[in-house]
Every structure is written in C-alpha cells, then in structure tokens.
Amino acid sequence: MLNFTKQGTLTLLNGSGRVVWSSNVTRRVQNPIAQLLDSGNLVVRDATVNYYLWQSFDYPSDTELPGMKLGINLKTGFHRSFWSWKSSNDPSRGDFNWAFDPRGFPEPCIMNGSIIHYRTGPWNGRGFATAPSRQPTPHNIYTYVSDPEEIYLTYEPTDSSIITRVVMQQNGILQLSVWNNQTQNWDNFGRQPTDNCDFYSQCHSYGLCNNGISSLCRCLDHFEPKNTTDWARGNWSGGCVRKTTLNCQKEVKFLKYSGIKLPDTRFSWYSQGVNLNTCEELCLRNCSCVAYANPNITATNEGCLLWFDDLIDIRDLGARGQDIYIKLDSSALENSTTGKAMKLRIILPLAALSLLLALCIIWYIRQKKKDQNEGRGMRCFEMFFTRESKDEELDLPLFDFATISDATNNFSLKNKLGEGGFGPVYRGMQKGGQEIAVKRLSRYSAQGTHEFKNEVIFIAKLQHRNLVKLIGCCIQGEEKMLIYEYMPNNSLDWFLFDRDRSSQLDWPKRLHIINGIARGLLYLHQDSRLRIIHRDLKPSNVLLDIDMNPKISDFGMARSFGENETGAMTTRVVGTYGYMSPEYALEGKFSVKSDVFSFGVLVLEIVSGIRNRGFSHPDHHHNLIGHGWILFKEGRSLELTNTHLRESCNLSEVQRSIHVGLLCVQQRLEDRPSMSSVVLMLSSDVPLSVPKEPGFFTGISQSTNADSLSSNPGEPSANKLSITILDAR
C-alpha cells in the first residue's frame, strides 16, 4: 500500500504494515499534497507553494521522460541517472546505467558496472556527436548546462501532443521511442550505441574506427600499430603509436584531423574563454599535452580542450565530426610533405589520363542506354554485384523506389513491423494485392553492402518450404531494400518470450516448428546447390507464416562452401551472443556444427519458453543450457517444460526433444550430430546417445560463461541486433 502521511512523506507498506520504502522528506509543511503531473512526475509539495519537497524525476528507473534533469549537483554530489532493469520481471538496478562523468570535460557515458560501455562524445554546442537520440530534432529541444554548481541535460518536446521516452534496455541499448496514437504502440527512433564503432575503445589508443571498412580499425595518419601481428589478425587492443616518437627537446608541430568523434575527455583540461591560437600555445608549452581542440562547433575559437594521455575511442564521423590537432614530431610532417610532392608529380598526369578515359566510357554508356531502356534495372543489378554472383543468372525482379514507397504508404510508421540489425522492416501491399515485407537498410546499420549481397545471392538461389522467400530487391542511390513474402505471424521470438502470446504455442505447434527448422538447416547444410552455414540462427530469424510454418530468414551473415568443405576460420566473429558455439565465439572456427549448436539452443528455448541469455536460477549460476543438462543428469528433464505445455504435450516427445537439444550443444563439435542425424532422431525412435557436457558449462563462476561476454542479464524480444564485433582471440 502506498501511504501519504500528514507530514508529507510517501511510504510504501507491505502486507504486515512494515515500511519498505519512503520518500524520506525531512522538511515539514502545513498542507502537503502528492500530485501526479501531466509530465509523469510524481511530486510532493505544499498546496500553497509550488515548491517540491520530493519528486520522482530525481529518482528515474530505466526511463527518461521530457523535463527530467539528468546529471550531477556538484554542490551536494547528488546524481540523477537512470539504470537498466535487472530482468524483464525485476525492476531493481541492472548492469547498465547512463550517467555523466564529471572528470575532465564532462560527457555522458553508458556504464557496465565500472566499465565504460559507450560514450556519446562531448557536448558540441548543439548535441552529442554519436547520440541520435540526443541530437536536435523538430520534435525536441535539448538543454545542456555545465557550470560550477551543476551539470545536467534535459529536453522538452516542441509539441505537447507528442509523447516521447528514452529507455535503458537490459542489454545496455538506449532506445528513443515516440508514441503512435494510430497503432497504440511505441515507434523506435534512434538508439545508442548504433553500430560497432560506438562501443567504447574498439581501436584503443590513436586507432580510428570506421564501420564502413572491412577491418573496422586503422591507425591515424603518422601512427602505426603497436603490435603489427595482432593488428593484422583483427586484434586491435594494443592500439597505435607514433611512427616518430615525441621529444620535448625537439621541434613539434600539430596536424589537423577532421571529421572525427573527439577522444575520451575524462582526463582532459578545458577552458571556456580561450581561443584556438592560445589553445595551441598552451599545448606547446606543456610537454605532456598531446592534442587540443575547440569542442564547441557553434562558437568558433571560443573554448580550449587539452589532452594529456593517449587519445582513446576515436571514430570517423565524416561531416558530423569535429577537428582535433595532434602533436607530432616536425620531422615526420616534413618527410610526409616531401613525399606527397613527389607523389603529386606522378599522380597528376595519371589522373588527367584517367579522367579522359572515364569521360569516354561515360559517353559510350549513355549512347548505349538510349537504345536499351528495357532491362535497365537488371543491368544495374548486375553492375552492383560481383562477377562471381553473375556466373549463374539470378531470376530476381528489381523494384524501383517509387513502387516500394507506394506499397508501404511512403514507409508509414503504422506499416512498420519492427527493426533489426539490418534496419527497419515495413509491411506493404502491391497493386496486385500481394502482401510484402520490405527490409530497408538503415544508414546506422551495423550491416552493409556485404550483408545485402549475401542475402540476395543466397536466398535467390535457395528454394525450400522452411526458408523465407525473397521476392525482389530495390537498389536506387543510397537506398538498398529487400522485398520478402509477408509473414503474418511475425517471428518466433514474438510468440516464444511473451507471457500472453506464448500460450498460443501448444506442444504440437512447437514440435512442428522444431522439425521445420531442422529440415531447413538440413537443406542448407546438405541438400542445396550451395553448402550454407547460417551463422546467426536465433528465434528472431525464424519467421512464421499463417499456418505457423517456420521460415529461416536473414542470410546476411551466411557463408557458402564447396562440396568438400565443412568450415573455416575468421577473425571477425558475427552472430548473436547466447547462440554461438564455443569454438566460434572463442577461436573464430565456424562450420555446419556451429549451426547445430545454435539449433540446440533454439530447441531448449522452444521447449522452455525461456531465453538462454538472461536465464537465472537461485541454486546455480548456469545459463539455460547448463540448467537443462543438470536436470537431464538428475532425470528431471521434464521440469524444463513451459507451464503452458502441461496439458497439450506428449511427454516422450518433449523428453526426446530436450535430449536431442542437449546433444546439439555439446562442448566438442565432433560430438555434435549432423542435421541429417538430428532430423532422423526427431522423427523416429532411434536410440539416442548420452549427451556430454555442454558448451560454456563451468563449475567456477558466471564470468566464464559465454553469456557474460555480452554482460547482458536479459534482453527484450524487440532487440534483434546481431553482434559483429567480438574479438575473442
């Protein structure tokens, strides 16, 4: 019971009348009232004076609303920050929180305990460099205050009818949402982190992160990898060092680097009234100073930021980025200038010749286009893809942008089905009446051209009732879209992990889904023209048609192999935590047995209705896989079964499915069965071997569990982001 005392204190009482929480108001007033404001702020105040004795906005949970002040009162030390929930059913503080770090030049960070998970970059006068939800928009006005008394950020909507919120999800993703009155749902608009380079210190010191390049990290100009061997393997943790070491006794100069996210400012020094020329002099006079910048893009030459440690967490932002001036040995710059002059003498004549040749080619192409208007779309399609993909004709229509825009009602929010790592997905209706699903590549997507090509090439060549059907694609300018058959029942996780919808999945339907996924994987591994390893099998990538038939989707991470190949090594581990096999997550080895492991996790999740990641048990620290194995060894496998299945399940079928799932998630890939064996075991009464210890099962502590790689105690089904940044070696 929530009680309001005559002294103006809110108290929460349990059934026996004991106080379990109190607003702890110390100041007493004559006529206290408690009031819930239209903003969502619950306040305690004097009825005659608009002075708040206590307000809920000072103690946010996982949600920020307009009008909240997030920051630090420097006089009292009072922090206003918000935290992720511990789990979807436990609103106590989880692992992640959003807070200002007052050290150096203050900037907000998402913290995972004491470790920085993500930082926005410093306030640049208009917004934060890498925070789409913190940029000025037509809907919101942001106010940032930093003075001797307090540091805080707040925002207000320009239109009071627009309802927005920012939620810290359990996996450390900050999601900005706007309420849609038509659909009565929250529509997602921007999140942070948005891509691989947003995660803190991906390229470590003096490394430049660029999500658009294959290697993700490169050293800044005039810097080189500290450990060349590790760097070549994709291990960037050592960072970069100057090619020519700084020496305070020698002449130094500054080189301007543009279009970047300014480095970590926690150990920097800042002065507001210093212009850029004076800032340079200050850095020159201090031997420890390594770089300087003006953080404020709205006030040129008014503000000086100095760094005294290695520059960490730099990324390429292009036009959205800022300038920084880094101290270098003058001899390095002189050698570079001389080398550039020599290169120009060679390059300029070649450039002129290349330009002339390019003009001739353009003229020739235009002449041909005049006589060949038909089939133009397919030529563009062929030009977009590599020669390898053109060896076999892809019978796939190319849609123009206007057609897709009309079908989705100009990508209306009410047509939006959801959003994953690739980008938003919209429902559409073609003029002939066929319903379609349109997956539109987002510019903030962690995936890109390579994944787009993969999806088109693989799905266009694969035909199976348990694989999603690709109807066509759209490639126009920067726009890249994939058009699929529409799945009216959404994805498997939409049903599986929702308390209400999961009851619609009785045991016959779940077994039907398990068998369908198994047959789809068998086709990919053995019966298709290509041997395909999916590498990102999870519930959100299994779609359900109107008859609840499962369709494996999202082949952006897939790899193909020759008839005699079964696997490979990679330094770029892709997929989703909780579904990766041990040898893949830790060593970069992937094979058909990697998909078998993911399938085993899926089976256990389908039977239990519980996510492998985020599972917790009061008696042990293991994940769902470990819990299932413990129950199996004790002869209590059926305890893993979802409560909704007790009336509809066939006990022997459930027990057999759990047994097969545990065989698929065994630690050693040699022990795991092939998908042909899995299909046989699920559809017959052949004897089953006893499963050995599963992957990531330890008797030490949770930190050795593979789930701890993600530091995520649980995630809502709306989050379908695929991780593509793990450097496990």
Side-chain angles (χ1 to χ4, degrees):
M1 180 176 66
L2 184 67
N3 184 44
F4 186 54
T5 69
K6 293 180 180 180
Q7 291 75 31
T9 300
L10 286 170
T11 56
L12 190 65
L13 310 175
N14 65 11
S16 60
R18 186 174 64 87
V19 176
V20 296
W21 173 85
S22 166
S23 62
N24 196 27
V25 175
T26 55
R27 181 179 174 182
R28 298 290 180 253
V29 294
Q30 293 298 319
N31 190 16
I33 62 171
Q35 182 180 9
L36 181 63
L37 306 181
D38 289 344
S39 64
N41 192 8
L42 178 64
V43 302
V44 176
R45 65 180 180 86
D46 191 312
T48 59
V49 182
N50 195 22
Y51 172 78
Y52 297 160
L53 303 174
W54 179 90
Q55 60 174 339
S56 63
F57 271 20
D58 285 340
Y59 306 93
S61 177
D62 68 337
T63 302
E64 177 194 8
L65 296 175
M68 273 189 182
K69 289 171 62 173
L70 295 175
I72 309 169
N73 186 315
L74 298 175
K75 282 190 171 182
T76 64
F78 182 69
H79 284 249
R80 295 182 183 91
S81 63
F82 60 112
W83 295 70
S84 63
W85 282 19
K86 197 165 189 178
S87 73
S88 57
N89 298 317
D90 184 353
S92 59
R93 287 185 174 182
D95 291 337
F96 296 92
N97 77 300
W98 188 99
F100 271 99
D101 192 323
R103 293 175 292 178
F105 188 75
E107 59 179 331
C109 301
I110 295 177
M111 305 295 295
N112 180 4
S114 60
I115 301 170
I116 297 181
H117 179 65
Y118 158 79
R119 68 178 189 95
T120 64
W123 180 262
N124 62 21
R126 292 177 183 166
F128 295 109
T130 60
S133 60
R134 305 293 183 184
Q135 298 296 336
T137 70
H139 306 306
N140 298 318
I141 298 174
Y142 287 90
T143 302
Y144 172 70
V145 173
S146 179
D147 58 36
E149 292 191 358
E150 58 183 343
I151 302 165
Y152 71 85
L153 175 75
T154 185
Y155 78 97
E156 294 286 351
T158 55
D159 184 346
S160 59
S161 66
I162 298 174
I163 303 172
T164 64
R165 70 176 185 182
V166 180
V167 177
M168 173 66 75
Q169 298 178 346
Q170 292 153 241
N171 59 352
I173 297 291
L174 207 58
Q175 182 73 62
L176 170 67
S177 305
V178 177
W179 180 254
N180 187 327
N181 277 325
Q182 292 180 322
T183 62
Q184 293 292 293
N185 279 311
W186 290 99
D187 291 330
N188 295 331
F189 279 90
R191 64 187 178 194
Q192 53 190 85
T194 58
D195 58 32
N196 297 340
C197 287
D198 271 350
F199 293 97
Y200 182 73
S201 191
Q202 287 284 56
C203 306
H204 214 265
S205 54
Y206 301 106
L208 183 67
C209 192
N210 187 332
N211 203 59
I213 61 176
S214 57
S215 62
L216 197 69
C217 293
R218 69 175 178 85
C219 292
L220 292 170
D221 291 343
H222 301 284
F223 290 80
E224 60 187 1
K226 187 173 183 180
N227 187 317
T228 309
T229 304
D230 285 350
W231 194 273
R233 291 174 177 170
N235 181 354
W236 306 296
S237 58
C240 304
V241 294
R242 288 175 174 81
K243 291 181 180 178
T244 305
T245 307
L246 278 180
N247 187 335
C248 288
Q249 307 304 318
K250 294 183 179 180
E251 184 182 1
V252 294
K253 292 184 178 180
F254 291 94
L255 181 62
K256 179 180 177 182
Y257 296 82
S258 299
I260 68 166
K261 171 185 175 181
L262 294 181
D264 191 341
T265 61
R266 289 179 300 156
F267 306 106
S268 62
W269 174 88
Y270 174 69
S271 178
Q272 190 171 359
V274 179
N275 64 36
L276 209 56
N277 291 331
T278 306
C279 192
E280 180 180 359
E281 292 175 10
L282 289 172
C283 193
L284 276 173
R285 288 203 298 264
N286 191 317
C287 184
S288 300
C289 181
V290 295
Y292 72 92
N294 170 27
N296 196 331
I297 61 175
T298 64
T300 308
N301 289 329
E302 291 187 17
C304 177
L305 192 56
L306 303 181
W307 283 268
F308 300 93
D309 288 301
D310 288 345
L311 306 182
I312 294 177
D313 195 35
I314 311 173
R315 68 163 297 172
D316 188 353
L317 290 178
R320 293 187 296 124
Q322 293 174 253
D323 298 335
I324 187 172
Y325 300 82
I326 300 179
K327 187 184 287 185
L328 296 168
D329 189 280
S330 59
S331 62
L333 293 178
E334 289 168 4
N335 293 338
S336 174
T337 304
T338 304
K340 286 180 179 177
M342 294 182 64
K343 288 179 181 178
L344 284 175
R345 293 172 189 170
I346 300 171
I347 291 172
L348 286 177
L350 290 175
L353 183 61
S354 299
L355 179 61
L356 181 61
L357 181 61
L359 290 173
C360 292
I361 293 172
I362 291 170
W363 176 85
Y364 174 76
I365 291 173
R366 285 182 176 176
Q367 288 298 111
K368 291 206 69 174
K369 280 186 176 181
K370 288 181 181 180
D371 302 322
Q372 297 178 350
N373 287 326
E374 293 186 3
R376 180 176 60 183
M378 187 52 69
R379 279 205 312 278
C380 292
F381 176 79
E382 290 174 352
M383 288 170 65
F384 182 81
F385 290 101
T386 61
R387 183 172 301 278
E388 179 185 356
S389 66
K390 292 191 290 179
D391 291 341
E392 298 181 52
E393 290 188 9
L394 300 177
D395 184 18
L396 190 68
L398 188 74
F399 292 83
D400 61 73
F401 181 82
T403 301
I404 302 303
S405 181
D406 289 342
T408 58
N409 194 19
N410 197 25
F411 302 99
S412 166
L413 289 177
K414 68 179 182 180
N415 283 40
K416 188 174 178 181
L417 297 172
E419 187 164 355
F422 188 94
V425 181
Y426 298 89
R427 180 180 180 177
M429 179 73 75
Q430 291 184 290
K431 290 183 178 180
Q434 181 183 12
E435 284 190 295
I436 57 174
V438 179
K439 188 192 286 189
R440 188 181 190 185
L441 180 64
S442 166
R443 63 182 179 138
Y444 297 116
S445 171
Q447 302 180 31
T449 301
H450 175 74
E451 287 81 4
F452 183 88
K453 289 180 182 181
N454 253 19
E455 189 93 357
V456 174
I457 293 169
F458 288 150
I459 300 186
K461 290 183 178 181
L462 302 175
Q463 298 293 330
H464 190 270
R465 68 190 305 267
N466 293 117
L467 303 184
V468 70
K469 182 180 179 182
L470 184 66
I471 297 173
C473 63
C474 174
I475 306 163
Q476 188 166 325
E478 295 298 317
E479 290 285 353
K480 298 179 183 68
M481 289 179 277
L482 299 171
I483 296 90
Y484 298 92
E485 58 178 333
Y486 174 65
M487 295 285 114
N489 279 319
N490 213 308
S491 58
L492 177 58
D493 68 328
W494 194 74
F495 281 97
L496 203 56
F497 305 123
D498 183 88
R499 183 177 299 175
D500 298 323
R501 290 190 290 267
S502 63
S503 60
Q504 300 176 38
L505 290 180
D506 58 17
W507 174 246
K509 288 177 182 174
R510 295 190 190 218
L511 183 60
H512 175 69
I513 290 169
I514 290 172
N515 284 320
I517 298 170
R519 287 192 296 268
L521 274 183
L522 173 60
Y523 172 78
L524 292 176
H525 291 178
Q526 184 173 307
D527 298 333
S528 66
R529 289 189 290 168
L530 305 170
R531 182 189 292 273
I532 304 293
I533 299 174
H534 189 279
R535 296 206 295 174
D536 197 19
L537 186 66
K538 56 184 177 179
S540 61
N541 286 340
V542 176
L543 305 182
L544 301 172
D545 68 10
I546 194 168
D547 297 316
M548 301 299 281
N549 293 310
K551 311 267 188 176
I552 299 173
S553 69
D554 201 340
F555 286 78
M557 310 295 184
R559 285 285 299 272
S560 64
F561 293 90
E563 188 175 343
N564 297 320
E565 295 178 295
T566 57
M569 289 279 292
T570 182
T571 57
R572 183 172 179 257
V573 175
V574 297
T576 304
Y577 299 128
Y579 301 93
M580 292 182 188
S581 63
E583 72 278 0
Y584 183 38
L586 303 177
E587 301 177 59
K589 295 179 182 177
F590 63 93
S591 65
V592 291
K593 295 299 181 70
S594 308
D595 282 351
V596 172
F597 185 93
S598 303
F599 174 77
V601 177
L602 260 180
V603 170
L604 297 178
E605 289 186 334
I606 291 171
V607 171
S608 65
I610 302 171
R611 289 186 184 275
N612 182 39
R613 293 179 66 206
F615 174 83
S616 61
H617 194 276
D619 297 336
H620 58 74
H621 65 267
H622 298 294
N623 57 10
L624 179 65
I625 299 174
H627 180 60
W629 194 58
I630 291 171
L631 292 178
F632 177 84
K633 288 196 301 178
E634 295 174 357
R636 300 186 293 135
S637 291
L638 292 175
E639 292 182 23
L640 196 66
T641 310
N642 187 281
T643 53
H644 295 303
L645 306 181
R646 289 174 182 170
E647 295 182 4
S648 64
C649 74
N650 179 311
L651 296 181
S652 63
E653 289 177 346
V654 171
Q655 204 156 12
R656 191 173 188 83
S657 297
I658 295 172
H659 195 144
V660 172
L662 290 172
L663 288 172
C664 292
V665 296
Q666 292 177 101
Q667 173 75 26
R668 298 176 69 251
L669 63 90
E670 297 86 357
D671 294 330
R672 295 173 215 149
S674 65
M675 284 312 301
S676 58
S677 298
V678 168
V679 170
L680 178 64
M681 288 188 288
L682 288 171
S683 59
S684 68
D685 295 327
V686 296
L688 303 180
S689 59
V690 178
K692 299 177 183 177
E693 184 177 285
F696 303 119
F697 183 88
T698 72
I700 309 171
S701 69
Q702 196 162 3
S703 63
T704 56
N705 188 301
D707 296 340
S708 67
L709 291 169
S710 66
S711 303
N712 179 13
E715 60 178 328
S717 61
N719 176 28
K720 301 172 183 177
L721 180 66
S722 294
I723 305 301
T724 61
I725 58 169
L726 176 63
D727 182 15
R729 295 188 289 168

